[in-house]
Amino acid sequence: MKPISDRVLTAMFCDDIRQEVGNKMSFMGCYQSELCVPTAPMTLPKLCIYLTLMTPMARPLHSLCFKVLLDDDRELARVQIPNDAFSHALVIREGRTTRTCVSAAVVFAPFTIEKRGVVRVLADTDEGEVVGPRLLLKIMPQLDPTAPPTEEGKLAKLAAKKAAPRKSHTPKPGPA
């Protein structure tokens, strides 16, 4: 796999994608880099991913397949973009840079989180694979018995131990 530095794959992970009046899209409940749940397994009503692949006008796409993977080995979704979509791709002009974009939305309804993991997005193109962002799936450490202790957790336990009242070993007064 050769790196493709001038093709960029972006992804927005969110709770919902809505088509609004005026051909606008709204993304509800966007995740930045991680999705934390209080316990596992947990089922979310929905998890949406909005994918966009950008490529220079000089190197148009001839084939594209978006993939969503869980922990690199389990394919959750595959979206094959039809070849005729490339002739209708959106053109973005910023200063002197000109490129085309192809986007797709992937919706999981429901989406079950069984354990800690990573959701990754990839794009297979005619020139090779483009790696996109990832979303870490986390179970809150204080509630996850399988999670290794964090440094913060260790320090909190130590502080709690030091702050706990100590038993007094002074002898009880005897009979007078």
Side-chain angles (χ1 to χ4, degrees), residues 57 60-62 81-91 100-102:
M57 288 289 293
L61 291 163
H62 299 290
I81 305 298
N83 290 342
D84 65 342
F86 305 121
S87 60
H88 305 296
L90 174 66
V91 178
T100 62
C101 297
V102 178

Side-chain angles (χ1 to χ4, degrees), residues 18-32:
R18 298 179 188 164
Q19 186 69 38
E20 304 289 349
V21 175
N23 202 27
K24 296 185 292 184
M25 298 184 79
S26 291
F27 301 93
M28 306 294 140
C30 297
Y31 298 99
Q32 293 182 26

Side-chain angles (χ1 to χ4, degrees), residues 49-60:
I49 307 170
Y50 190 76
L51 302 156
T52 300
L53 182 72
M54 293 173 273
T55 188
M57 288 289 293
R59 293 195 14 244

Side-chain angles (χ1 to χ4, degrees), residues 114-151:
E114 297 170 355
K115 61 182 178 77
R116 291 177 289 146
V118 180
V119 176
R120 298 182 187 277
V121 294
L122 305 169
D124 280 333
T125 73
D126 48 294
E127 293 185 4
E129 187 175 77
V130 181
V131 178
R134 63 188 183 161
L135 179 68
L136 301 175
L137 304 177
K138 291 185 170 184
I139 293 109
M140 295 169 80
Q142 68 272 20
L143 301 176
D144 181 8
T146 64
T150 62
E151 196 59 37

